[in-house]
Amino acid sequence: LLAFSSCPGAGQDVGRSCILVSIAGKNVMLDCGMHMGYNDDRRFPDFSYITQNGRLTDFLDCVIISHFHLDHCGALPYFSEMVGYDGPIYMTHPTKAICPILLEDYRKITVDKKGETNFFTSQMIKDCMKKVVAVHLHQTVQVDEELEIKAYYAGHVLGAAMFQIKVGCESVVYTGDYNMTPDRHLGAAWIDKCRPDLLISESTYATTIRDSKRCRERDFLKKVHETVERGGKVLIPVFALGRAQELCILLETFWERMNLKAPIYFSTGLTEKANHYYKLFITWTNQKIRKTFVQRNMFEFKHIKAFDRAFADNPGPMVVFATPGMLHAGQSLQIFRKWAGNEKNMVIMPGYCVQGTVGHKILSGQRKLEMEGRQILEVKMQVEYMSFSAHADAKGIMQLIRQAEPRNVLLVHGEAKKMEFLKQKIEQEFHVSCYMPANGETTTIFTNPSIPVDISLGLLKREAAIGPVPDAKKPKLMHGTLLMKDNSFRLVSPEQALKELGLAEHQLRFTCRVHIQDPRKEHETVLRVYNHLKGVLKDYSVQHLPDGSITVESILIQATAHSEDQGTKVLLVSWTYQDEELGSYLTSLLKKGLPQSTS
Amino acid sequence: MAAHLKKRVYEEFTKVVQQQHEDLSTKKLRLTKPSKSAALHVDLCKATSPADALQYLLQFARKPVEVESVEGVVRILLEHYYKENDASVRLKIASLLGLLSKTAGFSPDCIMDDAINTLQNEKSHQVLAQLLDTLLVIGTKLPENPSVRMRLVEVACKHLTDSSHGVRNKCLQLIGCLGPVEKGVAKEAESQAAKDVQKIIGDHFNDQDPRVRTAAIKAMLQLHERGLKLQQAIYSQACKLLADDYEQVRSAAVQLIWVLSQLYPESIVPIPSSNEEIRLVDDAFGKICHMVSDGSWVVRVQAAKLLGSMQQVSSHFLEQTLDKKLMSDLRRKRTAHERAKELYSSGEFSSGRKWGDDAPKEEIDTGAVNLIESGACGAFVHGLEDEMYEVRIAAVEALCMLAQSSPSFAEKCLDFLVDMFNDEIEEVRLQSIHTMRKISHNITLREDQLDTVLAVLEDSSRDIREALHELLCCTNVSTKEGIHLALVELLKNLTKYPTDRESIWKCLKFLGSRHPTLVLPLVPELLSTHPFFDTPEPDMDDPAYIAVLVLIFNAAKSCPTMPALFSDHTFRHYAYLRDSLSHLVPPLRLPGRKLVSSPVSPSITPHEDPSQQFLHQSLERVYNLQHLDPQGIQELLEFTIRDLQRLGELQSELAGMADFTATYLQCQLLLIKALQEKLWNVAAPLYLKQNALASAAAKQILEETYKMEFMYSGVESRQVVIIHHMRLQAKALQLIVTARTTRGVEPLFGMCEKFLQEVDSFQRCFISELPHMQGSFVDKLLDLMPRLVTSKPSEVVKILQTTLRQSTFLHLPLPEQLHRATANIIEPTGESDNPLRFTSGLVVALDVDATLEHVQDPQGTVKVQVLYPDGQAQLIHPKPADFRNPGPGRHRMITQVYLSHTAWTEPCQIEVRLLLAYNSNKSKASARIPKSTWSESLEALPPSENGIEGTIPFSKPVKVYIMPKPARR
């Protein structure tokens, strides 16, 4: 029995991911995210949902974090330090390295800038991180005696992983966010045919099949290149991690290939630290970077330098990556204001922009912006939109399902309407049941656990020797006694079972009388029966014993004359219950009567 | 029983035959050699523990065993095998048996019975597997013995039920390698057990062990390779294997499916879960396409590779591989490619400014969208986007092969190929450019595609740029804007990378000659002429200007109206360029100007090319004039040689032919000259000076013949005979000269002997050609051979002299195509006045860049020679990777030469040149004659004769100024 509950977050929502899974009596929490859109209590999942009273540590066996995005790990210090959880937290090495940087940054913005109180502190982040156990890819971690987890590569961002959670023979795979198409710095998600009972998959792009990434890349490079050749400046507002690195590598290699000289800048701070980790975790990147890092680490950028505020006024072409990504504040907005007036310049928005931000306004075609202080900023620079998303599209999700071959699929992290479509597709294509619970809803999935039974080698060999050659694909009938003792199952030979249980052996014999019309003498009848049986049962040993009885294997046949009618002979057939099959066959054979003897 | 008896008889029979053979050849040797088997026996008996025995066996295995003692050794080993209790020793013995049966010249059927017997009582699975392996070796050594094979197959079938995967593996392998292939074999009763090998192997497709499943598929493929036609029934089984858990099984299954699809392309298979039926090849194609998105990259590579060779697939299936059916929020979206196409056809350029430019249009029916279709949907889209570059390369290659056979597919895949030009791995980019070139005859580039293609011209990798130039050479462009764009980009390329000059000019030459009508409207702009004003005359030496002119002149060749647009200085520049860059600028018929190679009337078809005629006529003349006086012959030859050389210079396509014949005539001339010396008859010691001339002639002829043999591609055996014949004559001349100049007979003995051997080998090599050589030197010589062998050296010399004089001049037949190997060193240019300075004792790397034409196997033959001023010469072998093959018959060598020298007081020039190495052993003659005769003659020939190795310089030397400085202390 598997219970899945989409806990306080996630479900049909892109925002905070937080999923609770009960599998064979073990409770596991998957991800512990926060919602970026809220600034009140709603930003964190409602942990009181898990246990009304009682400590979380007692209830949860472990917490697993799939990757470092705040909507997957943002509530972790709150959960572990403020609500109180002391159990193990599992994440991959890169996630463990980068996660605290992001949390700290997030804390600074909320506490230092917005002045909020009742928020977790730096110390809490540190304490929380002490509870984290880092895992390697494909490493099976034994959480306790029964529960084990294993990480698979998920693409998406550096260190993102899919987790397989296994108790006994029941298993769940949680994908987190993943990407099935490789990009410039990360590979594609991969999983083996682990056939889990349940696959919990994200479904951000449940109804989208994306175009080839090459077109997008080419467009992007072409636009940047053209602007730089014209002598214009290019501003690319990015968030610090993930896409930024991909775009950096893209531009870096392009600059290298095309021998371009225009400078590329990267706004400093957070990103520098993060780049450092990208340099370190080379094994988590894609084939090209992994193969060439001996000559040169791709993240050691030759053309990309740190940005200084003063550079923005430098003449000549340049490309600048600046945070934040939606142009709502900070350095990117400052640079934007400086450059917006020149039509030679260009701003490229590499991702989605929330309504209300400057990014969204200019993308929707607004040319005159009202800035603070009632200033009117006229946007003359070119505005481009380039989507670089690292989630699997519908085809990717299907591909993953095909690879893993789960028995049930559960969709989370998406919009209900879109998920409905994908659900229908999955059921139609793979003939597995698919679920899409809402927030806070609990889904229960019944599994068909296979129960292992021990069998002694002697018995196995003995039974295997009987009958045709064993064939792995066909079930085989075995005789033995099933002993259920001390919470274990054993298949033993009957003799041993009797011995162990201290029981005496009883024999069960069936006897049956068959009347045959035969006027001849008894021994002649016996001889006829003997010849008949010998003719029919070629594969069995049929013997005529000196005492006038016939044995077929262990079955005994005796003939006596009927006490009343001498013309009728009575055949006594007797067999043990082990030979039931042969015995009943024999009786039915004899009941048909003997063939008219011509000899 | 009868069958068994028959078998016995067979075996007895073969055994007897074998022993006869052995008796004939090896008796003598057996007596002299110490018995190896005895030593082994002693060793093994001495062994006290299994470990010891194992050590002895290991030592024994290191030494080779003579053919004649193999059987004895095998018996000893078998004896120990039965006694041995330790499985590891038995394993080693079993493997040794296999090793020994491989010994060349040993026929293992005598030990087969024993080997089969050992199987009977063996309990260890590992030893069993090893024994089966040994049997496999034995079986493969006896290919002409079907009964032995049958027996081995039966043995293997018996062991198929073994519980160890290793044993089953080997059994299947054995069946695959030895199973009967012909249908006819299965007549006898004995073959009943092995009647249907395919069925037996097929049964193991469902084995519990993945390794055995793989082995079963491999065995099936092996049978196919050996010529057995696989049954179609296997197809459905193989399809199931595609979903196997193990990658090696899937990988092998993909191969099997491919094989079946090639065997039964047209048969019809049902589609499961529907009533429809499709062709098998289409179904297989769909299935293999499906595997392109497999979890294992090994399988993906395999699948992508095989897709390329499935050309019989229906076109609509093929086109699906490029279609991914984009959608966004359940609405159909057009791909970027489609959008680009639309923009292009509406005559608008993409503003690219709108967010949601790619906004989805029509609603799609949710039921109709099949995310993972069982069909071929989007296989190439996935393959080209794959994480592993191996898969991407395989996909590009497959695209190339499919596009070559289907023009409509070529048109469709263009967008995807163009996209691959931006791949992160250079190898993939290069591969896709080459692919594009290969399919370029099928396609015309749209302007936006051309734009993307041209963007790659700025790539910093020289290989990429040059591949792209090659591509542009054979690309069709649809509009004049396209041509203009290409020109602009190429000029940009030129300014950025001036070293690409030659390649860009060549590219423009083809671009011009392919699109004369598109160039025409551009001419005024390109030449910047103005209807009223005279414009300043551009700089004649500007590479960019030359590039423009090359484009225009080549277009003007087939566009007679164009020269009217030229201004005066253009004509002057034309005359200059026609002379200086004649390979890039074609002859034009300009108004008021004679065509340079003029008196050709246009009616003459290329077949009756006058220059070709001229060549043949002059050759005829030479061959016919046997009876002229010596002086006349000499003069005629001299004139003809001169004519031919000039012809070669004028007509590049005939250059090889003309040079070749001229060289031959030159040889003949030298020979005649040497023989015509009047003073031959006078006593030897007096005429040393004259002899010097003759011996020099002989030497030169020898050199020339090597050049003729190895420097030309397209030389056929007919020519090789003549060349060898000429060489033989030169050697005869040498012999005569030596006989005249040396005193005493002793050294002559050796020389005569050697010469006669050469004549002998000549006869053997070219026995088939001898009838064509009536009246020639060798013909006469062979007639006199019995006499020659017995006579003294002085007599031999005399005979040779007379035959040499009397022999006729052999007619040199000309092959269809003949090209002289040429090399041109592009870099270093030899123009630099700045010495290359380096510290003495250290090395400096000199980049050498050269183009080679018509060199066969340049990796093996081309060497770089560096000559230092002190006479020291250094020979450098470039790495095989330094050679690229940009086109048929052309190679490019880009390598680095390391120079070093002790300190000099002032800079000095060194010479760098390319050499063509040859080895007379690997001559073309030896490759052509039947193997048997050659191997015999090889044995007979003394080893010194086999390999005359030498080098022919075939490029102009380039001088490089260098200066090794003394090291500073």
Side-chain angles (χ1 to χ4, degrees), chain B residues 584-693:
Chain B
L584 293 173
V585 179
L588 290 182
R589 283 203 284 152
L590 301 176
R593 215 171 260 263
K594 264 203 308 178
L595 202 56
V596 182
S597 63
S598 56
V600 191
S601 66
S603 64
I604 287 179
T605 55
H607 288 290
E608 336 169 349
D609 189 4
S611 39
Q612 187 123 25
Q613 271 180 349
F614 174 74
L615 180 79
H616 285 288
Q617 276 167 5
S618 46
L619 284 179
E620 285 301 310
R621 214 165 50 215
V622 175
Y623 296 134
N624 289 337
L625 291 177
Q626 288 285 345
H627 317 293
L628 217 69
D629 64 298
Q631 193 62 35
I633 290 183
Q634 274 188 33
E635 268 171 28
L636 182 71
L637 279 173
E638 269 164 21
F639 285 135
T640 317
I641 290 167
R642 199 199 59 204
D643 286 353
L644 286 173
Q645 278 168 348
R646 181 68 190 140
L647 180 71
E649 284 164 26
L650 288 177
Q651 291 280 320
S652 56
E653 61 268 29
L654 284 177
M657 210 86 89
D659 279 350
F660 188 66
T661 39
T663 317
Y664 179 62
L665 295 183
Q666 179 74 35
C667 290
Q668 189 64 34
L669 180 65
L670 282 168
L671 188 68
I672 292 172
K673 266 189 185 166
L675 289 174
Q676 288 302 321
E677 290 297 330
K678 285 170 193 150
L679 304 166
W680 267 107
N681 306 333
V682 190
L686 297 174
Y687 297 100
L688 285 172
K689 195 184 108 206
Q690 188 267 322
N691 284 336
L693 193 142

Side-chain angles (χ1 to χ4, degrees), chain A residues 423-434:
Chain A
K423 173 177 179 256
Q424 182 196 330
K425 281 285 149 207
I426 290 169
E427 284 174 349
Q428 183 187 328
E429 285 280 330
F430 300 107
H431 310 290
V432 298
S433 42
C434 181

Side-chain angles (χ1 to χ4, degrees), chain B residues 716-771:
Chain B
E716 292 163 14
S717 56
R718 290 182 301 162
Q719 284 87 42
V720 176
V721 186
I722 308 276
I723 295 167
H724 276 251
H725 182 247
M726 181 53 84
R727 196 177 299 158
L728 204 63
Q729 280 174 309
K731 280 178 181 164
L733 184 64
Q734 240 174 358
L735 183 63
I736 301 167
V737 172
T738 337
R740 293 228 137 216
T741 47
T742 45
R743 284 154 197 275
V745 205
E746 299 300 318
L748 277 185
F749 266 123
M751 286 187 73
C752 280
E753 180 93 353
K754 206 173 149 196
F755 180 75
L756 291 178
Q757 271 173 357
E758 255 161 50
V759 175
D760 195 38
S761 71
F762 181 89
Q763 186 196 2
R764 255 187 283 185
C765 291
F766 302 108
I767 192 103
S768 58
E769 301 279 346
L770 284 178

Side-chain angles (χ1 to χ4, degrees), chain B residues 308-372:
Chain B
S309 45
M310 299 181 76
Q311 268 125 9
Q312 300 110 309
V313 72
S314 323
S315 61
H316 73 277
F317 267 92
L318 199 57
E319 276 152 28
Q320 264 191 51
T321 55
L322 295 175
D323 180 16
K324 207 178 156 190
K325 288 204 173 58
L326 293 195
M327 61 172 192
S328 168
D329 291 353
L330 292 180
R331 277 175 296 177
R332 177 102 170 80
K333 215 164 97 175
R334 288 164 311 147
T335 63
H337 291 151
E338 284 170 323
R339 268 179 276 139
K341 208 168 179 174
E342 206 163 282
L343 276 175
Y344 171 75
S345 51
S346 68
E348 224 182 280
F349 280 98
S350 167
S351 66
R353 260 177 238 182
K354 259 203 310 240
W355 187 27
D357 181 23
D358 54 350
K361 294 281 151 63
E362 75 248 57
E363 284 273 350
I364 48 170
D365 176 18
T366 49
V369 184
N370 222 348
L371 290 185
I372 288 196

Side-chain angles (χ1 to χ4, degrees), chain B residues 179-474:
Chain B
V181 173
E182 309 85 24
K183 285 250 161 69
V185 178
K187 272 181 268 171
E188 300 292 331
E190 63 171 11
S191 60
Q192 255 176 11
K195 60 184 179 290
D196 198 354
V197 207
Q198 288 196 49
K199 198 181 164 308
I200 295 167
I201 295 176
D203 286 344
H204 284 79
F205 279 0
N206 298 324
D207 196 279
Q208 56 176 333
D209 195 294
R211 287 163 288 198
V212 180
R213 292 199 291 272
T214 317
I217 304 174
K218 291 247 167 84
M220 200 62 107
L221 290 169
Q222 181 78 33
L223 282 179
H224 165 73
E225 255 165 48
R226 290 177 51 224
L228 181 73
K229 190 161 186 191
L230 302 184
Q231 293 151 359
Q232 204 196 323
I234 301 171
Y235 182 71
S236 59
Q237 274 181 295
C239 288
K240 275 185 209 124
L241 287 171
L242 283 180
D244 199 278
D245 282 10
Y246 292 84
E247 66 177 22
Q248 69 268 45
V249 183
R250 293 199 299 269
S251 171
V254 170
Q255 273 179 8
L256 185 58
I257 291 218
W258 177 79
V259 164
L260 288 166
S261 78
Q262 302 299 305
L263 283 176
Y264 305 95
E266 298 302 328
S267 25
I268 300 294
V269 289
I271 303 175
S273 78
S274 82
N275 299 328
E276 283 171 70
E277 289 179 328
I278 49 171
R279 290 160 72 217
L280 191 140
V281 64
D282 289 342
D283 190 50
F285 187 77
K287 292 214 156 76
I288 295 178
C289 279
H290 208 56
M291 300 310 280
V292 174
S293 51
D294 190 87
S296 151
W297 70 272
V298 183
V299 181
R300 295 203 296 268
V301 173
Q302 177 81 270
K305 268 190 190 146
L306 291 177
L307 281 184
S309 45
M310 299 181 76
Q311 268 125 9
Q312 300 110 309
V313 72
S314 323
S315 61
H316 73 277
F317 267 92
L318 199 57
E319 276 152 28
Q320 264 191 51
T321 55
L322 295 175
D323 180 16
K324 207 178 156 190
K325 288 204 173 58
L326 293 195
M327 61 172 192
S328 168
D329 291 353
L330 292 180
R331 277 175 296 177
R332 177 102 170 80
K333 215 164 97 175
R334 288 164 311 147
T335 63
H337 291 151
E338 284 170 323
R339 268 179 276 139
K341 208 168 179 174
E342 206 163 282
L343 276 175
Y344 171 75
S345 51
S346 68
E348 224 182 280
F349 280 98
S350 167
S351 66
R353 260 177 238 182
K354 259 203 310 240
W355 187 27
D357 181 23
D358 54 350
K361 294 281 151 63
E362 75 248 57
E363 284 273 350
I364 48 170
D365 176 18
T366 49
V369 184
N370 222 348
L371 290 185
I372 288 196
E373 264 179 346
S374 48
C377 215
F380 276 118
V381 181
H382 286 291
L384 293 176
E385 269 187 34
D386 199 275
E387 185 184 357
M388 312 298 284
Y389 84 95
E390 291 91 340
V391 183
R392 297 200 295 270
I393 286 194
V396 169
E397 272 164 11
L399 263 187
C400 173
M401 286 165 82
L402 289 170
Q404 272 174 325
S405 61
S406 155
S408 69
F409 184 70
E411 196 72 48
K412 285 220 164 62
C413 75
L414 207 56
D415 280 319
F416 293 90
L417 269 182
V418 171
D419 278 351
M420 293 308 285
F421 284 15
N422 279 322
D423 196 273
E424 52 192 345
I425 307 251
E426 184 176 326
E427 224 175 316
V428 182
R429 296 202 293 270
L430 205 55
Q431 181 69 40
S432 43
I433 295 174
H434 284 315
T435 300
M436 187 102 142
R437 193 191 70 218
K438 284 181 197 148
I439 62 170
S440 58
H441 56 275
N442 275 340
I443 52 170
T444 305
L445 282 181
R446 284 198 321 266
E447 218 166 289
D448 58 309
Q449 288 164 335
L450 189 70
D451 199 27
T452 329
V453 172
L454 290 172
V456 188
L457 273 178
E458 287 192 47
D459 203 297
S460 57
S461 152
R462 180 180 209 149
D463 286 335
I464 295 268
R465 290 200 309 271
E466 273 173 12
L468 208 65
H469 294 154
E470 290 279 337
L471 163 65
L472 286 177
C473 282
C474 44

Side-chain angles (χ1 to χ4, degrees), chain A residues 205-270:
Chain A
Y205 287 101
T207 54
T208 304
I209 299 178
R210 266 202 312 260
D211 199 354
S212 139
K213 63 164 180 150
R214 285 177 199 287
C215 299
R216 278 175 283 147
E217 279 176 9
R218 202 187 59 211
D219 276 4
F220 173 78
L221 293 172
K222 201 172 145 193
K223 278 169 186 164
V224 173
H225 189 186
E226 277 172 1
T227 313
V228 168
E229 272 203 336
R230 264 204 311 266
K233 298 176 169 64
V234 183
L235 171 67
I236 307 169
V238 286
F239 286 106
L241 292 165
R243 279 332 84 199
Q245 273 73 21
E246 183 186 352
L247 294 178
C248 278
I249 290 216
L250 196 59
L251 277 190
E252 166 87 10
T253 43
F254 188 72
W255 249 239
E256 186 98 14
R257 260 180 66 197
M258 299 303 184
N259 244 334
L260 298 179
K261 293 285 176 282
I264 310 175
Y265 297 113
F266 202 121
S267 63
T268 44
L270 180 61

Side-chain angles (χ1 to χ4, degrees), chain A residues 511-530:
Chain A
T511 43
C512 182
R513 280 170 215 280
V514 181
H515 297 263
I516 292 182
Q517 293 297 323
D518 190 13
R520 272 170 275 204
K521 290 253 175 64
E522 279 169 21
H523 68 269
E524 277 176 34
T525 314
V526 168
L527 209 61
R528 276 187 71 202
V529 168
Y530 171 69

